[in-house]
Amino acid sequence: MNTLHLSAREQKDIEQAKQILASGELVAIPTETVYGLAADAANPEAVKKIFAAKGRPANHPLIVHIGSVEQLTDWTTDIPSEAYTIASAYWPGPVTLLLNKAPQATPVVTGGLDTIGIRMPAHDVFSTLLQSSGMAVAAPSANPYKKLSPTSAEHVLNSLGGKIAAVLDGGDCAHGLESTIIDLTQKPFRILRTGPITAAQLSETLGEEVLSPKAHSVAVPGNVTSHYQPNTKVRLVDAENLPETNGNKIAYLHLTPLVASAEFTAKQMPSDVAQYSHDLYRSLDDADKWQCDEIWVERPPVTEEWFAVHDRLNRAQSKL
Ligand code: TXA
Ligand code: MG
């Protein structure tokens, strides 16, 4: 399959992306978090193509993306008032609500689960596409199963080119990390995946404590430990106690400025957490291309605002 490279700046390209989706094919679309691999959520045959293109097991649930809050009732049921509180505070934006699935929603999207993840993305082009079509779109991150989520159209094309109908190029994603997922199906509410919006922010918004498991032990399909992996082995290191290189070629993504950089192929990472998140997957992808034996990543500060970064780094590091 020849994957079309469409531009999110061209109205005719956006229209074409819409038509491709409506015809049951896949388009990678920019969101404010990462690129999503989109299919018409109401078309089970189209949604099945997502699993095939990614090599993702059929029981790993997908997130449904909507363009208006009214669409919530098309996909979910038993909606608690807190869902609307979060939606009005953060939507469009990087928070996914886990709610009970509406009976009419196809189980292909949820991998057979009775719950469904749903969010309204903030990227202008994606919002416009959703609103003007009235469609809801199922979209996981646009990467092969267990690999790094793409934050640019080039990254999508490198891994899924030839397997999908088109990519709509909207440049770099603003956040660079996937949305926060909050489970609202039972109290106390809890975070299933850390992301740009923290548990502290959500607790403040709701006026009640939202649990945030530090270790991502939640046993849901799709929340596997080894995830977000580049091809090169990743190791988290502490700057003041670096391991021996043992003659290996090392790519080093560091925060502390290097004294002598000759030993490494190094990249200075931003100390600002938002900028760091924005750069993380791209930097791991770049480091992969340097053809080193290992990628070392300096451990970021251990504070709540960095939890989403730690989560992704821990998964990038584990090989199971
Ligand atoms: O920022 C994002 O959320 C991006 C963009 C494209 O919107 N999407 C994304 O999708 O990261 P994906 O499929 O790569 O990750 C979705 C996560 C999975 O870990 C899955 O386990 C969880 O959401 N999830 C979705 N539906 C669920 C459900 N019904 N129950 C439990 N977990 C669910
Ligand atoms: Mg993903």
Side-chain angles (χ1 to χ4, degrees):
M1 180 185 299
N2 173 35
T3 302
L4 293 172
H5 191 158
L6 304 173
S7 167
R9 276 191 296 235
E10 301 284 342
Q11 193 52 42
K12 68 169 180 22
D13 284 16
I14 297 172
E15 288 303 320
Q16 194 173 355
K18 229 192 293 187
Q19 280 161 17
I20 294 171
L21 285 173
S23 75
E25 296 299 327
L26 307 182
V27 183
I29 298 184
T31 85
E32 77 281 28
T33 59
V34 299
Y35 274 72
L37 184 56
D40 176 357
N43 178 344
E45 293 312 312
V47 175
K48 283 181 192 161
K49 293 179 185 168
I50 294 179
F51 294 94
K54 282 180 65 94
R56 174 167 168 140
N59 66 345
H60 284 217
L62 306 177
I63 294 173
V64 171
H65 298 71
I66 52 177
S68 78
V69 177
E70 288 68 51
Q71 284 170 288
L72 262 181
T73 48
D74 296 339
W75 298 92
T76 69
T77 184
D78 315 321
I79 307 169
S81 63
E82 290 91 339
Y84 292 101
T85 309
I86 296 176
S88 55
Y90 299 103
W91 279 2
V95 183
T96 297
L97 307 180
L98 195 78
L99 295 165
N100 287 321
K101 182 181 96 62
Q104 70 271 21
T106 169
V108 177
V109 167
T110 62
L113 295 176
D114 294 333
T115 55
I116 193 162
I118 191 156
R119 83 177 186 100
M120 191 193 296
H123 194 286
D124 285 355
V125 171
F126 198 5
S127 301
T128 312
L129 190 151
L130 289 169
Q131 282 159 11
S132 61
S133 65
M135 217 186 266
V137 153
S141 50
N143 49 286
Y145 184 52
K146 291 197 174 182
K147 291 299 175 190
L148 290 173
S149 301
T151 56
S152 69
E154 293 72 40
H155 192 171
V156 174
L157 285 168
N158 286 341
S159 60
L160 291 178
K163 295 187 172 163
I164 61 178
V167 58
L168 186 58
D169 190 341
D172 270 10
C173 299
H175 290 293
L177 289 187
E178 301 83 355
S179 63
T180 303
I181 304 179
I182 179 170
D183 182 354
L184 298 179
T185 61
Q186 51 189 323
K187 291 230 179 182
F189 300 142
R190 58 188 183 144
I191 304 285
L192 295 186
R193 179 175 69 187
T194 50
I197 309 297
T198 63
Q201 284 174 289
L202 291 164
S203 302
E204 165 97 32
T205 302
L206 295 180
E208 65 185 82
E209 194 194 356
V210 171
L211 303 183
S212 177
K214 255 195 199 148
H216 274 246
S217 52
V218 189
V220 288
N223 196 3
V224 288
T225 317
S226 63
H227 215 134
Y228 311 111
Q229 290 187 342
N231 298 316
T232 315
K233 185 177 173 194
V234 174
R235 195 196 286 222
L236 273 171
V237 300
D238 295 294
E240 63 281 7
N241 190 18
L242 285 180
E244 298 292 330
T245 61
N246 292 327
N248 284 327
K249 227 178 123 199
I250 306 295
Y252 187 24
L253 307 181
H254 59 98
L255 286 157
T256 309
L258 287 187
V259 188
S261 61
E263 238 187 316
F264 308 115
T265 308
K267 177 171 179 185
Q268 171 77 57
M269 296 297 286
S271 56
D272 172 70
V273 63
Q275 198 56 44
Y276 188 105
S277 305
H278 174 272
D279 290 3
L280 178 62
Y281 290 144
R282 171 185 288 275
S283 302
L284 286 170
D285 191 47
D286 286 346
D288 227 4
K289 297 194 193 103
W290 300 337
Q291 310 251 319
C292 292
D293 301 301
E294 291 184 12
I295 300 171
W296 290 1
V297 183
E298 183 178 344
R299 199 183 307 281
V302 186
T303 54
E304 201 204 0
E305 55 169 8
W306 287 89
F307 279 180
V309 169
H310 280 284
D311 171 59
R312 304 313 189 273
L313 288 176
N314 287 332
R315 291 170 197 250
Q317 151 169 269
S318 69
K319 293 268 181 207
L320 291 180

